[in-house]
Amino acid sequence: QVQLVESGGGLVQPGGSLRLSCAASGIIFRFNDMTWYRQAPGKEREFVALITSGFSTNYADSVKGRFTISRDNAKNTLYLQMNSLKLEDTAVYYCYAPFSGMPYWGIGARVTVSS
């Protein structure tokens, strides 16, 4: 059974930092491309960052230079380091992984940026 469990969300002031984690099980993590998405209130889910099995990365323009995606294959865990957070980064952040032709999503971690 595939499970993706996010953690590390919370309330932070503008300019602050948070690190999200996504613990994966039931997939061959080291062979999987892993992605972070987010969904802000009243908006559609959007791409945030991707890291391939070969450790190549790609970012949405809105987070480039502020967010860093990484992975620890020994721990089957995906990370998203978020720095210089802005009000518009407020959203529920989801971990995503395709496996055996099926899409899998975590339950999400809420990040609120507010003064």
Side-chain angles (χ1 to χ4, degrees):
Q1 182 181 0
V2 177
Q3 282 193 318
L4 302 172
V5 181
E6 299 94 339
S7 60
L11 174 65
V12 63
Q13 292 186 340
S17 298
L18 280 175
R19 188 177 81 156
L20 301 182
S21 300
C22 171
S25 59
I27 64 174
I28 307 174
F29 184 80
R30 67 185 182 278
F31 292 148
N32 247 86
D33 295 349
M34 300 294 297
T35 308
W36 286 102
Y37 285 83
R38 68 185 182 186
Q39 187 165 17
K43 295 188 177 181
E44 294 188 352
R45 196 169 296 189
E46 65 175 3
F47 167 80
V48 175
L50 161 77
I51 185 166
T52 69
S53 57
F55 292 85
S56 296
T57 58
N58 190 28
Y59 296 91
D61 287 344
S62 58
V63 307
K64 204 170 292 184
R66 301 188 297 121
F67 289 12
T68 302
I69 189 171
S70 62
R71 63 192 298 158
D72 186 335
N73 288 344
K75 296 181 178 179
N76 284 1
T77 302
L78 175 72
Y79 301 101
L80 185 69
Q81 178 66 44
M82 304 183 294
N83 298 330
S84 302
L85 281 161
K86 303 177 180 180
L87 296 175
E88 52 264 41
D89 295 319
T90 294
V92 178
Y93 285 72
Y94 297 92
C95 176
Y96 168 81
F99 183 68
S100 295
M102 296 291 292
Y104 291 95
W105 296 90
I107 60 172
R110 185 173 300 277
V111 173
T112 302
V113 184
S114 175
S115 55

